[in-house]
Amino acid sequence: MGMFTLAEVASLNDIQPTYRILKPWWDVFMDYLAVVMLMVAIFAGTMQLTKDQVVCLPVLQSTVNSKAQPSTSGKADFTTVETTTGQGEDASMRTVSFGSAPTVTPDVPLSRATSPQYQPTESGQELKKEQKDSSGRKTNLDFQQYVFINQMCYHLALPWYSKYFPYLVLIHTIILIVSSNFWFKYPKTCSKIEHFVSILGKCFESPWTTKALSETACEDSEENKQRLTGAQSLPKYVSTSSDEGSPSASTPMITKSGFKFSADKPMIEVPSVTILDKKDGEQAKALFEKVRKFRAHVEDSDLIYKLYVGQTIIKTFKFIFILCYTANFVNTISFEHICNPKVEHLIGYTQFECTHNMAYMLKKLLISYISLICVYGFICLYTLFWLFRIPLKEYSFEKVREESSFSDIPDVKNDFAFLLHMVDQYDQLYSKRFGVFLSEVSENKLREISLNHEWTFEKLRQHVSRNAQDKQELHLFMLSGVPDAVFDLTDLDVLKLELIPEAKIPAKISQMTNLQELHLCHCPAKVEQTAFSFLRDHLRCLYVKFTDVAEIPAWVYLLKNLRELYLIGNLNSENNKMIGLESLRELRHLKILHVKSNLTKIPPNITDVAPHLTKLVIHNDGTKLVVLNSLKKMMNVAELELQNCELERIPHAIFSLSNLQELDLKSNSIRTIEEIISFQHLKRLTCLKLWHNKIVNIPSSITHVKNLESLYLSNNKLESLPAAVFSLQKLRCLDVSYNSITVIPVEIGLLQNLQHFHITGNKVDILPKQLFKCVKLRTLSLGQNCITSIPDKVGQLLQLTHLELKGNCIDRLPATLGQCQLLRKSGLVVEDHLFDTLPSEVKEVLNQDTSIPFANGI
């Protein structure tokens, strides 16, 4: 026992100070009981080391039945202490020859027969004195024999429990202490507890909890009042919601090092309750993320709960075991003992009567220990009752939901629930404040406040730009929400929201009377009813970009005044089944539908808008568009684009679209266009775009498509232009760029209405003079060919504004270029050294910046 102190053993009871919020009253009480038991063990052990002894006298044959004094039986007490019996026996014979003063336990009555051992005289002298004393009994033993027999009888006559009681108490108590705190030490649970306590502390001290709990109870007007009176609202740093009052001296404070309870420092650290500074906002956002990850990590197991139940059951069984066997030993502890050491050949006596001087003290300590263990056991039983009385693996925030108005705080389960139940035993305020960080409403509110704090009206105004259509446009990208100030930009025409997952469109949008175009890129925006009514009546153009069709907000399908709808995203599953768009029936005024996706067939829902749709655009990602039958129902479609759909021929469904004016089949795999003759039934077809395909030749049947005004055949594999093309008298634009054409046929002169001719990137070497009979030409692109000279007749093209000659083998430019009144240097695409070959007066004309009005007919 001298090897360690009470403090050293009690340190087993120590846990991190921050963990005390997870110790309910019964754990704390059991810890104190364990410390008292340790004191009992160490006190008994110390007594045993210093004073434990037996004193024996031989029983004389003639007076076997006579007793010096009646003995009092004592009750044993059961503890754990270690004793070296040798020390006990040495201490038992304190005489002069041992050089120490006599020591007698005051409450152990000794018969006169034992007195010689306590007198500071020589043994021989004492025996002589005994002879003179008429009441004494003479023995024939010397001092050494008494020492010997005392040691023999200490081991033989005393029950083992009297000797080892302190050790047992010590061992049992250490086991109980370890059992109590094992869940704080075991690595798999300790890490989760540490994380939980750390997060809980931050949640408790976060200014956001205060703000969230107080502000949900306030209206906006109330909030503004608080902004104006920021100084007066300082004492309300602790939440003003129903179960939290103003801070008192006992308000729990959580500092970085852990939980501290400060009386001097009230919790007033934030300048105002309504405006969080940026740092607080960022910390609160990080806390939400931590709580989310911690919840996911802890909710899927119940190890902490099982471990706590396990250690409580172990303590209960331990208590029952200790109580059962200790009670049996109470009566074995007595003051007097008979000893038969079987050493008659050494001593001369067979029986000795001995006294144990520690018996009474041990019995009192043992009874104290039993009473402590009983109290400990009853607390263990109560703990078990509490553990199984209610389901601790479920935790409901119902009360918090009612009081804080965060109705979306979810109920939690498993270890997360158990830890919160434990914290509630310490202080229910913790879980209430923690609940704020489980609420999505709260998180969104925080984001909203931080966002509005950062994105002021002035900052947003700086981000407004003018787009290509000269409209005022605002593009917001990767924000946590839509700042309120956006809706004060009343002159905005176009609003683009990209990657804003929590976008909400409030009623304030009805101020934006100019807003006609809205872009939602990966932004499944929610709208309030009033906002929806406004959008339904005013919105004309909507772009929705999505990864999954479920991202398209349901209200999009109800915008009855929408004119243009652009859908960009995945509409096809892996097994080639259409992922359904919802019904488009409500879009009664839709004129333009643009779908950029991976379709294998035209979505059947498109027929809902077929009667009034005038333009249909399908841009595929290279997925083959197989089923096009739905197209036949698009009777009013004037413009049709099927781009990058892996079409190999012109689809027959198109030939029934009697109102078709423009057809664009760009970037497909069309090789032959023999079906072009069927276009003669489409009397209104004026524009045919077959660019970026693999067309090798143009059939002569093209001559039947008499109304064509624009023909785009660039980026194909044409080697010649048939005369039939030049019979299309109404042709105004002909684009055959980037093919392998070597000759411009002389029949080109027949195209008297031709205004734009593009033959860039071919193998033309000579320009026929008939080309310059097309006097209405405005754009002539002849770049990247093998042309060696430009005829002087180019001067006849009086309406020419753009002439591209770059990338040829020309050595000079004709001076007649000066006769092209509308041509300017900016419209003349040619190498600088060629421009320098022109006469200076021609260069001057071309360098003029004055914008001359276009000639009539342009």
Side-chain angles (χ1 to χ4, degrees):
M1 280 295 166
M3 302 289 285
F4 42 74
T5 63
L6 174 63
E8 287 169 334
V9 182
S11 68
L12 288 168
N13 233 347
D14 288 350
I15 53 159
Q16 285 190 32
T18 52
Y19 287 3
R20 69 162 173 245
I21 60 165
L22 290 174
K23 284 187 93 70
W25 67 266
W26 54 82
D27 274 356
V28 174
F29 197 46
M30 283 195 274
D31 284 348
Y32 282 121
L33 284 174
V35 171
V36 177
M37 287 184 221
L38 279 178
M39 290 170 71
V40 167
I42 289 173
F43 177 67
T46 310
M47 292 283 289
Q48 205 174 41
L49 286 175
T50 55
K51 301 196 174 176
D52 198 24
Q53 60 184 9
V54 293
V55 177
C56 300
L57 284 178
V59 178
L60 303 177
Q61 290 305 315
S62 56
T63 56
V64 170
N65 296 323
S66 107
K67 300 254 178 184
Q69 283 198 6
S71 75
T72 317
S73 72
K75 290 207 179 218
D77 194 29
F78 161 40
T79 318
T80 58
V81 180
E82 56 186 49
T83 302
T84 40
T85 52
Q87 281 180 317
E89 267 65 274
D90 289 348
S92 75
M93 304 298 287
R94 307 286 172 107
T95 61
V96 174
S97 60
F98 281 80
S100 59
T103 54
V104 181
T105 309
D107 60 344
V108 181
L110 291 173
S111 66
R112 282 183 65 89
T114 64
S115 62
Q117 288 167 345
Y118 298 101
Q119 299 301 323
T121 55
E122 288 295 322
S123 182
Q125 293 171 334
E126 184 58 28
L127 289 172
K128 286 175 190 173
K129 189 178 178 184
E130 283 291 313
Q131 287 168 0
K132 292 172 190 173
D133 191 341
S134 60
S135 64
R137 301 278 298 169
K138 184 177 178 185
T139 64
N140 296 321
L141 298 176
D142 63 14
F143 175 73
Q144 193 62 35
Q145 286 171 313
Y146 275 117
V147 172
F148 174 74
I149 204 65
N150 286 349
Q151 290 192 358
M152 282 288 289
C153 287
Y154 182 84
H155 290 288
L156 292 175
L158 283 193
W160 69 271
Y161 195 75
S162 300
K163 293 178 279 190
Y164 302 117
F165 162 72
Y167 306 106
L168 290 171
V169 175
L170 184 67
I171 291 165
H172 289 317
T173 310
I174 288 172
I175 291 171
L176 290 175
I177 288 173
V178 169
S179 299
S180 275
N181 294 312
F182 186 67
W183 69 311
F184 291 129
K185 312 280 185 180
Y186 182 60
K188 283 188 179 174
T189 54
C190 171
S191 59
K192 288 179 183 176
I193 290 168
E194 194 172 337
H195 198 176
F196 174 74
V197 170
S198 157
I199 290 175
L200 193 66
K202 286 172 183 162
C203 291
F204 192 91
E205 70 178 354
S206 169
W208 174 245
T209 42
T210 304
K211 177 168 176 53
L213 287 171
S214 60
E215 211 173 79
T216 49
C218 301
E219 294 299 321
D220 286 346
S221 57
E222 193 65 25
E223 188 178 321
N224 293 335
K225 275 186 216 164
Q226 286 178 317
R227 273 202 184 89
L228 294 170
T229 58
Q232 293 159 19
S233 61
L234 286 179
K236 292 181 185 172
Y237 178 74
V238 168
S239 172
T240 55
S241 84
S242 52
D243 96 340
E244 291 181 52
S246 56
S248 64
S250 62
T251 303
M253 292 283 292
I254 307 169
T255 63
K256 283 180 187 166
S257 61
F259 293 85
K260 291 195 179 169
F261 297 82
S262 159
D264 321 324
K265 228 175 128 189
M267 244 169 29
I268 303 171
E269 291 173 9
V270 178
S272 157
V273 81
T274 49
I275 298 176
L276 285 175
D277 66 35
K278 193 169 180 183
K279 186 181 169 195
D280 289 333
E282 290 306 314
Q283 283 175 344
K285 280 187 207 168
L287 260 181
F288 273 106
E289 191 56 35
K290 278 185 182 173
V291 169
R292 195 165 24 250
K293 284 182 178 167
F294 177 76
R295 182 182 169 198
H297 177 55
V298 178
E299 259 197 318
D300 59 0
S301 87
D302 56 356
L303 180 64
I304 299 177
Y305 172 76
K306 283 178 179 168
L307 197 62
Y308 189 83
V309 171
Q311 66 185 34
T312 308
I313 290 170
I314 287 170
K315 288 192 288 185
T316 310
F317 278 121
K318 189 81 182 157
F319 138 73
I320 294 166
F321 168 70
I322 292 171
L323 202 62
C324 290
Y325 93 93
T326 309
N328 292 334
F329 289 113
V330 176
N331 294 325
T332 63
I333 297 178
S334 64
F335 179 67
E336 289 187 14
H337 298 277
I338 300 298
C339 175
N340 300 300
K342 295 182 183 175
V343 285
E344 194 178 350
H345 60 290
L346 295 174
I347 307 292
Y349 295 96
T350 55
Q351 194 174 45
F352 292 83
E353 191 165 324
C354 305
T355 59
H356 181 207
N357 69 329
M358 279 282 289
Y360 293 113
M361 182 57 76
L362 276 180
K363 189 170 282 194
K364 288 185 177 69
L365 288 173
L366 181 56
I367 290 165
S368 306
Y369 178 62
I370 288 174
S371 56
L372 288 170
I373 276 292
C374 285
V375 176
Y376 195 94
F378 284 126
I379 295 173
C380 284
L381 292 171
Y382 172 81
T383 309
L384 283 176
F385 166 72
W386 180 79
L387 284 170
F388 296 113
R389 179 176 57 102
I390 53 169
L392 294 182
K393 290 203 280 182
E394 294 164 17
Y395 187 93
S396 170
F397 281 99
E398 191 173 346
K399 196 176 170 190
V400 186
R401 286 197 287 266
E402 286 167 10
E403 290 177 0
S404 69
S405 86
F406 289 132
S407 57
D408 70 319
I409 300 177
D411 292 340
V412 294
K413 57 185 184 182
N414 285 339
D415 279 346
F416 199 7
F418 176 66
L419 288 170
L420 287 167
H421 279 296
M422 294 298 272
V423 169
D424 275 355
Q425 295 299 316
Y426 182 82
D427 187 350
Q428 291 191 342
L429 187 60
Y430 280 98
S431 56
K432 178 170 183 178
R433 291 185 150 231
F434 195 57
V436 171
F437 285 89
L438 288 166
S439 161
E440 275 188 44
V441 171
S442 167
E443 184 170 10
N444 294 340
K445 182 93 175 156
L446 168 70
R447 287 191 181 132
E448 193 182 307
I449 289 171
S450 302
L451 188 71
N452 292 332
H453 199 54
E454 184 183 351
W455 289 87
T456 57
F457 179 80
E458 292 74 22
K459 184 173 177 180
L460 287 166
R461 173 59 71 195
Q462 289 167 8
H463 282 73
V464 174
S465 59
R466 287 214 167 262
N467 66 11
Q469 289 79 37
D470 199 36
K471 291 182 177 176
Q472 289 213 52
E473 179 182 292
L474 175 64
H475 187 182
L476 296 176
F477 178 72
M478 282 186 81
L479 298 182
S480 58
V482 183
D484 283 347
V486 167
F487 306 106
D488 296 326
L489 298 164
T490 49
D491 53 351
L492 208 60
D493 300 302
V494 182
L495 177 59
K496 290 186 176 181
L497 305 176
E498 186 169 356
L499 289 167
I500 303 178
E502 298 296 329
K504 284 191 181 66
I505 298 174
K508 271 180 78 181
I509 198 170
S510 51
Q511 299 173 186
M512 303 175 76
T513 47
N514 285 359
L515 187 70
Q516 293 198 336
E517 189 174 319
L518 180 62
H519 293 241
L520 301 174
C521 302
H522 304 290
C523 178
K526 296 182 178 76
V527 291
E528 289 180 14
Q529 188 57 43
T530 319
F532 168 69
S533 302
F534 171 80
L535 291 171
R536 185 187 59 204
D537 297 337
H538 287 79
L539 201 63
R540 297 290 177 266
C541 178
L542 176 66
Y543 286 75
V544 186
K545 191 173 183 180
F546 53 90
T547 307
D548 185 79
V549 75
E551 284 177 45
I552 303 174
W555 54 267
V556 164
Y557 301 103
L558 304 171
L559 298 170
K560 64 180 186 188
N561 281 332
L562 199 65
R563 301 284 191 276
E564 301 177 31
L565 176 59
Y566 294 78
L567 298 174
I568 304 155
N570 178 21
L571 285 172
N572 221 19
S573 61
E574 289 172 8
N575 54 7
N576 287 336
K577 284 186 183 168
M578 273 291 300
I579 300 173
L581 289 166
E582 290 184 35
S583 170
L584 305 176
R585 201 169 290 113
E586 293 297 317
L587 307 178
R588 292 189 207 102
H589 291 93
L590 195 68
K591 300 291 182 196
I592 298 171
L593 178 59
H594 190 298
V595 182
K596 189 173 182 182
S597 186
N598 53 347
L599 300 174
T600 53
K601 62 179 181 179
I602 306 280
N605 290 19
I606 288 181
T607 57
D608 292 342
V609 289
H612 40 84
L613 204 65
T614 59
K615 182 175 180 179
L616 175 63
V617 179
I618 293 177
H619 280 202
N620 256 9
D621 60 356
T623 305
K624 188 162 186 170
L625 188 60
V626 184
V627 184
L628 296 116
N629 292 341
S630 308
L631 282 178
K632 291 178 181 175
K633 297 176 183 173
M634 309 276 160
M635 295 311 297
N636 290 314
V637 165
E639 289 182 49
L640 177 63
E641 283 186 31
L642 301 174
Q643 291 195 16
N644 208 6
C645 297
E646 281 295 306
L647 301 174
E648 292 175 8
R649 302 180 85 90
I650 298 170
H652 287 281
I654 292 172
F655 303 135
S656 55
L657 303 178
S658 55
N659 285 309
L660 196 65
Q661 294 173 21
E662 183 176 320
L663 175 64
D664 186 347
L665 298 175
K666 181 181 180 181
S667 300
N668 283 286
S669 300
I670 299 170
R671 296 174 187 279
T672 174
I673 51 171
E674 293 300 328
E675 302 91 343
I676 209 164
I677 191 166
S678 302
F679 282 134
Q680 64 185 323
H681 306 301
L682 307 182
K683 302 297 182 192
R684 296 189 179 183
L685 188 67
T686 57
C687 180
L688 181 58
K689 297 182 176 180
L690 297 170
W691 46 353
H692 297 268
N693 278 285
K694 298 173 182 176
I695 300 166
V696 179
N697 61 7
I698 302 168
S700 54
S701 55
I702 197 167
T703 186
H704 298 295
V705 195
K706 291 189 168 60
N707 290 319
L708 268 190
E709 293 179 11
S710 301
L711 180 59
Y712 292 83
L713 290 163
S714 63
N715 295 87
N716 276 286
K717 297 185 177 178
L718 299 174
E719 293 182 0
S720 62
L721 290 173
V725 173
F726 306 109
S727 65
L728 301 170
Q729 287 300 308
K730 292 186 180 177
L731 209 60
R732 291 194 297 170
C733 178
L734 177 61
D735 185 353
V736 288
S737 306
Y738 302 102
N739 280 283
S740 302
I741 298 165
T742 53
V743 176
I744 299 174
V746 292
E747 289 86 352
I748 195 163
L750 300 171
L751 299 177
Q752 284 301 298
N753 288 310
L754 194 65
Q755 295 179 7
H756 307 278
F757 181 47
H758 304 273
I759 196 164
T760 304
N762 280 278
K763 298 174 182 176
V764 176
D765 52 359
I766 295 168
L767 297 178
K769 58 187 178 186
Q770 287 82 356
L771 175 62
F772 304 106
K773 288 182 180 176
C774 305
V775 291
K776 289 186 181 175
L777 272 176
R778 293 189 208 170
T779 306
L780 183 57
S781 300
L782 303 166
Q784 299 174 43
N785 278 285
C786 310
I787 300 165
T788 51
S789 68
I790 305 294
D792 290 343
K793 286 184 181 288
V794 75
Q796 296 173 11
L797 305 178
L798 300 180
Q799 295 184 15
L800 197 67
T801 58
H802 182 89
L803 176 61
E804 184 192 338
L805 298 169
K806 201 168 191 176
N808 281 288
C809 310
I810 303 165
D811 53 2
R812 67 174 192 83
L813 295 176
T816 50
L817 277 179
Q819 295 168 18
C820 302
Q821 297 169 8
L822 302 179
L823 189 65
R824 293 290 166 266
K825 187 180 179 184
S826 58
L828 180 60
V829 182
V830 67
E831 287 85 357
D832 290 343
H833 71 274
L834 277 179
F835 184 76
D836 292 338
T837 63
L838 287 168
S840 55
E841 61 273 17
V842 176
K843 283 197 273 191
E844 278 177 35
V845 171
L846 292 172
N847 279 322
Q848 283 177 3
D849 289 330
T850 51
S851 57
I852 298 170
F854 283 149
N856 292 335
I858 293 178

